[in-house]
Structure formats: C-alpha cells, structure tokens
Amino acid sequence: MNNWNLDRLYPSFESEKFKADLVKLDENIAELNSYKDRLDDSAETVEGYLKTLIKSATLYRTLGAFSSLTKSTNTSDSNAIKYINLLSNKYSETTEVETRAKKWIANLDIDAIIKKSEFLKEHEFYLRQIKESDRYTLDEKTELLLSKLGQTGATAWSNLHGALTSTLDVEIELNGEKKVITLSEVRSLAHDKDSKIRKTAFEAELKAYEKIEKSIASSLNSIKGEVNTINDLRGYETPISKTLEDSRMTQKTLDALLDAIREYLPYFRKYLKRKAKILGYENGLPFYELFAPIGSADKKFTIEEAQTYVLKNFGSFSPKLRGVAERAFDENWVDYSPKKGKVGGAFCANIPPIKQSRILHNFTGTFSGVLTLAHELGHAYHGDCIFDQSILNTNYTMPVAETASIMCETIVMKNALIDATKEEKIFLLESSLEGITQVAVDILSRYIFEETVFDKRKDSILSPEELKEIMIEAQKESYGDGLDPENLHPYMWVNKGHYYRPGLSFYNFPYAFGALFGRGLYSQYLKDKEAFLPKYDNLLKLTGQKSVEEVALLADIDVTDIKFWRSSLDQVKEDVELFLELTKVYE
C-alpha cells in the first residue's frame, strides 16, 4: 500500500470518534483553566495540574496529528485546514493558565515537592525546565496576545509557504514532451542518470520559483521579523540564543561542531572537485550535479524491494530495530509516492497517544530514497523508545532528534559496502559522501544564510534579489571551489520549509549534529555490540529528560570538545580518501 493509514487516529473528520474527542478536548481545556485561581504550594495541586495537562496534551496531539498529517498529503484539504486552525485557537485558550502555572512552578521548592509523590519525581526534569526557562516568560496577558496573534501572523505566513510550494506547477520539456509536474517531482530529477535531464530540471525549477518568489519573500520576512521582535521582548540576546535554550544545548557545543566542520571543508571540496571531473567539469561541480549518480549501481527499487532491503540491514543491528520497521510496513505507517498537493521532502511524526509513528516520503526508487526511508524509520525507532514515558517527558530537542535516524542510515550504508564490487563501492561511497556533504556543508550554508537574514531583518525588509544574493554568498563560503561559482542555487531559501517554522529557528545545525553524533555512536557500537544496544536504547529513552550534553555523556561522549567532532569527521575524511583512490583514473 503506497498511502499511510490514519484510521488508528480517526477514520475521518466526520467520524463520531473525532467529534467526541473535540468535545472532550473542550472539557479538558475547561478543567485546565479551572486551575487559574487555585494554584497553591501543595503537592496535590501540582500533581492534579500536571495530570490535567497530560490529558489535554494527549488529546491535542491526537487531534493535531490527524489534521496535520491529512493536510501534508493534500495541502488543499479544507477540513484539515479548518481543524488545524480550530485546534490552534483552542490551544491558545490555555495560554493564560499555562503562563500562570509556569510562573507558579518557577517559584516552588522543586526539591521538596518531588519528595511528595512518585508521579512528581517522574516529572522532575519537566518541572526544573520550567523553573530554568521562567526568565524568558512574559506576563499572562502578553503571552495570550502573542499566542492569538501568532495564528494570523507567522503561522499564517508559514501556511502560505507550504501552500504555494506544494501546489507550484513546474513547466518542463522532457524527451521532446512538454508537461507540468510538481516541485517534488522536478527536484527528484536531480538524481536522474541523464545529465541533460538534471540540468533541464534545475533550470525549470529555478524558472518556476520566479512565479512565487515575492510571496515567499514576504513570508520569510514576516516570520523572521516576528521572531526577532518576540525574542527581543523575551530578553534573548540573539535568535540563536533562543534556539540553543530550546535545544537544551550550549553555545560551546555548537561552536565546537561548527568549528570542526569548517576545519574539514577542504576534504569535502576535494570530493566535490573529483565528482566534477568524473562528470566532465573543470571549474567545480554545478549545483544541479550535486545529486548526480556516480558508478554502476543504478538499480531502481520498488517499494517492496526497498522494504526488504531495509529489513535485512536493520536485522543485522538488532531484532528490535527490525521489529519496529516491520510494524511500520505491516501497519501502513508510510506514505510513499509524490503527488500534487503533497508536501515535499520527508518526515516522521511520532504520535505518543497511539504509540505509533507516521512517515511521509516522496519515494522515486533511488538508493537515496532507500536511505531516506531508513532515516525516517530511525525517527520511528526513537519514538518507540520513548512511547512508554509520560507525554510530558517525550519532548526531545532538535539536535538529538537526528541521532537514531543517522544511525539507521549508517547501518544501511555500512552493510551495503561489505559485499560491493569496486564499481558498487564507488557508487555507495559517493552516495554516502553526497549525503554527509548535505548535512555538513550545505547545512553550514543554510546556517550562514539564516543568521544573516535574522541580522539584516532587524533593519530592513529583504527583497527576493537580496535573499538570493545572501544565499549565493553563503553557498560560496561553505562550498568554496568545490562548486562552480557560476552555477549555484539562489532559491534554496524557497524550498526549505525549515526557514518558515516560526517556533523552530535554525533547524539546520541539528542535522549536522545528528550526522556526526550518529557516526560517533556507530563507532561505539562496533567496539562492543552487546553492551552498546541497551545503552543506546536508554540514551534515546532519556532524550526528553536531559540536556544534549547529558544525553551524550550516557554514551561517554563529550560534545563540548572539538576532538569528538574531529574524530567523527575523520571517518568522513577516510571515505573521501578511499573515494579518491578508487577514482584516481580521473586525476
């Protein structure tokens, strides 16, 4: 089955179950709001409030998951749009009580309170996080106003971006036939084995963006402007300060990560220049050739073949990992095929209330698509490790969010290399290097772009031309002479949805963190497989209850030390050197 099944959530928006849960949500919100004027220092009140919060959060997550997942495969679904807005408005009704409760919790003696019950002890981290973040919380009326304005402000602009990019018609001529395809479909042609098709697709993609660039630029300006304003109001020094606070991660860790990536840029550029030579280019690799397949392994996978391949490789790691993937396939957790109205890219949504996940893919049969499937199943495995936790303890942060997904990619890639011929090794190595280049070098360019946009947005509104210029300069800084400076991608700010999530700025460096942290974990797995597996599951289970640095220490890793990141990048360096050796005929 190519489409996911959402029946475990609800059969439809018209179903009695969906309608009943909407009514129940109203009852839970009323119960939660009843705490506004009865917050006292007793452990019973704290426990009662948290249990009521859990009930409302569980229902909200269930109703919200169904609505947002439905919309992600059909962005024009009027019911999905209606209920997403309705749920957002309902959620804003709890802003006042939650703001008041956070202030109340921040003034409690947490050490004394958690001694009163096992339930409160279980939620110690959640309580302490509220206490620590209180300095950025505004008064109740302001928080309520911001919550309500957000629905017609940044969130609305974000929805506009999603609607425009998911329904954008791309006109293209392929093999003498003129046709209209979706943005997801044209971007997938970057992996085509025909260089003419890759270039044609790239040019058609850029041409299509011209139709929406002004609207998307307005979206980006409005979102970043609002984030700047609210961050200033809350007292954050910079936009990245809020992201680090939300990520439960220190600036020292981020600096160590980015500094290490910059140190190893010369190796990424060596790989890119060699790929350029293999494809017949002398002035660096054109952007549209970043995903060009190299080597003889041009196999196309059916969905069933991709599933079998993933299951085989996951089984070599652990029965539990294979078991989660089997459930995903047997219970139709995955929506595979691209279609008009479906959002681009891929994601995994963990849904704690039903202890399942749902994966959106735009699968076209490439090996890269198989890796993406493995990646998203890694997120589902992460979810499986935390589903037995209280829903208040399941909110892990952006950097550790990529841990299990990168681990799963690595498992598939390493196993694929074992029995590969020389030509297959070239293909697989190149595929791996292509991927890590995206999550290190391209992510660095995205980080530079977003940092620059936030800074410039303080003083002015940025035109599409300025945004394109900022993106080009960011790509030059990151890719250097690895790419052809005359053939870069000025519109990368249009198609990356992460820029348009107002509550989640800088959703770029977590991918680099995850890619390199995952490689570090895989090295530990190889040293002692039996001892590693329970440690790994425990690490994932506790990601919602610890800081990034504390999570890493569970695996004896110090992520504030640049030496760790260098050790992970050394693995990339080794892959680059092997790739250069296998392709030295092109020197």
Side-chain angles (χ1 to χ4, degrees), residues 142 162 174 294 439 585:
T142 305
L174 296 172
I294 299 291
V439 293
V585 66

Side-chain angles (χ1 to χ4, degrees), residues 317-318 381 403 407 411 517-540 554-555 557:
F317 181 78
S318 78
Y381 184 78
T403 302
M407 175 68 83
I411 291 165
F517 186 56
R519 277 170 167 73
L521 284 174
Y522 189 78
S523 295
Q524 298 233 0
Y525 160 70
L526 293 177
K527 292 175 185 175
D528 190 342
K529 297 181 181 181
E530 288 188 14
F532 176 83
L533 291 176
K535 183 187 293 187
Y536 177 59
D537 284 354
N538 184 55
L539 179 153
L540 294 176
L554 292 173
I557 291 171

Side-chain angles (χ1 to χ4, degrees), residues 57-75:
T58 299
L59 265 183
Y60 183 81
R61 289 280 291 271
T62 309
L63 292 160
F66 183 72
S67 302
S68 61
L69 290 172
T70 299
K71 181 174 179 286
S72 67
T73 55
N74 180 8
T75 56

Side-chain angles (χ1 to χ4, degrees), residues 237-373:
E237 290 185 17
T238 62
I240 193 65
S241 300
K242 182 184 186 304
T243 300
L244 290 172
E245 185 78 23
D246 292 345
S247 299
R248 302 199 291 266
M249 176 174 162
T250 65
Q251 183 72 50
K252 186 176 180 181
T253 296
L254 179 60
D255 289 343
L257 168 66
L258 296 179
D259 288 347
I261 290 174
R262 286 186 168 98
E263 279 185 20
Y264 282 73
L265 287 177
Y267 297 101
F268 288 100
R269 292 167 183 172
K270 284 182 181 179
Y271 148 68
L272 290 167
K273 286 188 281 189
R274 176 57 57 86
K275 181 169 184 174
K277 284 202 170 185
I278 293 172
L279 294 171
Y281 302 99
E282 294 295 330
N283 196 33
L285 192 68
F287 198 97
Y288 56 81
E289 297 288 40
L290 273 170
F291 304 108
I294 299 291
S296 62
D298 56 356
K299 173 178 170 56
K300 283 283 187 178
F301 291 80
T302 64
I303 291 172
E304 292 74 19
E305 288 170 338
Q307 291 175 340
T308 301
Y309 192 82
V310 166
L311 289 175
K312 175 186 174 184
N313 287 294
F314 279 11
S316 71
F317 181 78
S318 78
K320 182 180 177 182
L321 177 59
R322 180 187 171 104
V324 170
E326 285 178 331
R327 284 186 62 206
F329 300 149
D330 293 343
E331 297 171 13
N332 297 321
W333 293 6
V334 188
D335 199 279
Y336 288 96
S337 303
K339 60 183 178 183
K340 187 168 184 178
K342 179 177 178 180
V343 298
F347 66 74
C348 174
N350 296 144
I351 313 170
I354 62 171
K355 296 187 177 183
Q356 292 185 2
S357 299
R358 289 297 181 271
I359 292 168
L360 181 137
H361 203 330
N362 279 281
F363 186 73
T364 56
T366 64
F367 182 72
S368 176
V370 176
L371 285 179
T372 298
L373 179 60

